[in-house]
Amino acid sequence: MKTKIIAAMGTALAIALGSGAAFAGPTLNAVKQKGFVQCGVNTGLPGFSNPDSQGNWTGLDVDVCRAVAAAIFGDAKAVRFTPLSAQQRFTALQSGEIDILSRNTTWTLTRDTSLGLNFAPTTFYDGQGFMVPKALGVSSAAELNGATVCVQPGTTTELNLADYFRGKGMQFQPVVIESFDEVNAAFFSGRCDVYTTDASGMASIRSTLAPNPDDYIILPELISKEPLGPAVRHGDDEFFDIVKWTVYATVEAEEKGINSGNVDEMLKSPDPTVQRLLGSNPGMGQALGLDEKWAYNVIKTVGNYGEIFERNVGVKTPLKLERGPNALWTNGGLMYAPPIR
């Protein structure tokens, strides 16, 4: 009898797994019940997450959240934003205040384990650097011995700063300020010799907040690896899968030449990968517990990864960032999506 019961259970499990259907998880259920995705973002970092005077949010991190909303609801506007400081962000995700954290956050081992986070694919490969006034007269981070350095607490930036100066046998005086606005004001008022954060953040701050951007330079050294991307809570693989494959869909779409302008025409493509991605050959949506048009809706309403990058931080924006490591792997970058099949 016991053998028959075990065999029956095994058969049922095989059928369930073989069906390709995703098991409903608590986060997706809660998101569907309330009708929107609650997304934690920066309090204001142009190019990544920044509100205008009307409270409309834009930026690369914001578009990641809009893409997740489009995948789930078919509506990129079905998302609400919670601005969070560096110190607030992890508690907000752990407590369930937000569903997803998309706030220029670095993927590290301890965050991935002891903080109970799952990081989806990297959406921006970055590195930490230093910005100084031209008047300081330095051209290299090796010349910063004894400098006062503005830095925000609760970040990998703070830890990397200490490691760098210790490793070089140099001294520095940290000026630790939690508020994003206040740390910027402190640097531009001359309270600190140096500002340190991710290089992309410095480019944003210099271009949009400096009294005269030309009076400040970003030193050439990058002292860390900062893979930035969205994070979700441990323990809900279904929602993690949705966020993960939403990001990958934007990358795969760029590689396949699919964008917001031609996605309808690409529905006719004979390419099997394109057919699976856009849902004309069904199965991928069912595997994620979503509509078969999940990726089509993402690309149609938010765009592919290249579109998201260029309109928010690319060379035609105030940040003027090149693709660099954020180019597709076929163009010498690191952006690469696993097979969608």
Side-chain angles (χ1 to χ4, degrees):
M1 176 64 73
K2 183 183 292 186
T3 302
K4 292 181 178 179
I5 292 173
I6 292 172
M9 290 174 63
T11 301
L13 179 60
I15 292 171
L17 293 176
S19 70
F23 292 97
T27 305
L28 182 60
N29 284 342
V31 165
K32 286 184 173 180
Q33 186 172 9
K34 64 190 176 185
F36 59 87
V37 177
Q38 193 74 46
C39 178
V41 293
N42 200 302
T43 53
L45 184 64
F48 289 87
S49 51
N50 196 53
D52 63 18
S53 59
Q54 305 299 314
N56 299 310
W57 288 85
T58 58
L60 189 150
D61 288 340
V62 166
D63 279 347
V64 169
C65 294
R66 295 197 191 282
V68 172
I72 295 171
F73 295 107
D75 181 3
K77 295 180 180 179
V79 59
R80 297 183 185 178
F81 299 100
T82 301
L84 299 165
S85 71
Q87 289 189 314
Q88 294 169 332
R89 55 184 165 171
F90 300 127
T91 302
L93 183 57
Q94 292 162 339
S95 69
E97 178 185 350
I98 58 175
D99 303 311
I100 177 175
L101 178 67
S102 187
R103 188 205 173 280
N104 58 295
T105 297
T106 303
W107 183 357
T108 72
L109 185 151
T110 52
R111 289 174 176 177
D112 206 356
T113 54
S114 59
L115 287 186
L117 309 183
N118 278 333
F119 280 83
T122 297
T123 53
F124 192 92
Y125 288 95
D126 210 346
Q128 183 175 334
F130 299 102
M131 178 164 59
V132 299
K134 280 185 180 178
L136 193 63
V138 303
S139 59
S140 168
E143 302 172 57
L144 296 179
N145 189 33
T148 55
V149 184
C150 277
V151 62
Q152 287 187 282
T155 61
T156 54
T157 306
E158 186 180 22
L159 303 176
N160 294 335
L161 173 65
D163 286 350
Y164 177 78
F165 274 82
R166 186 183 304 115
K168 296 292 183 181
M170 300 192 302
Q171 302 295 316
F172 74 103
Q173 179 63 46
V175 179
V176 182
I177 303 172
E178 179 178 356
S179 166
F180 178 75
D181 291 335
E182 291 177 10
V183 73
N184 293 327
F187 174 67
F188 290 123
S189 68
R191 184 176 167 189
C192 320
D193 301 315
V194 184
Y195 192 145
T196 186
T197 189
D198 296 340
S200 61
M202 285 192 299
S204 172
I205 291 163
R206 183 178 67 170
S207 66
T208 60
L209 300 177
N212 182 3
D214 292 337
D215 289 341
Y216 299 87
I217 60 171
I218 296 175
L219 299 180
E221 294 89 349
L222 293 179
I223 67 170
S224 70
K225 294 181 290 185
E226 305 293 332
L228 310 179
V232 297
R233 287 180 292 279
H234 272 181
D236 191 338
D237 287 347
E238 183 195 27
F239 193 67
F240 179 41
D241 285 345
I242 289 170
V243 174
K244 178 170 55 180
W245 286 100
T246 294
V247 174
Y248 282 142
T250 67
V251 175
E252 184 74 0
E254 183 182 8
E255 182 175 342
K256 288 294 182 179
I258 311 168
N259 57 51
S260 58
N262 70 6
V263 65
D264 288 311
E265 184 64 26
M266 293 297 285
L267 286 169
K268 306 171 187 175
S269 171
D271 185 328
T273 299
V274 174
Q275 292 176 354
R276 288 190 296 269
L277 179 65
L278 299 183
S280 51
N281 183 355
M284 301 302 98
Q286 181 186 16
L288 290 169
L290 301 175
D291 188 275
E292 295 296 346
K293 291 282 190 178
W294 67 279
Y296 167 89
N297 291 330
V298 170
I299 300 160
K300 181 71 174 179
T301 59
V302 183
N304 66 33
Y305 179 77
E307 290 178 278
I308 293 169
F309 184 99
E310 293 299 342
R311 72 165 166 262
N312 289 303
V313 299
V315 293
K316 295 182 180 180
T317 71
L319 273 68
K320 297 180 172 60
L321 296 180
E322 300 283 351
R323 287 290 292 269
N326 297 296
L328 293 177
W329 68 288
T330 51
N331 295 326
L334 299 174
M335 285 297 170
Y336 181 108
I340 296 179
R341 65 180 311 126

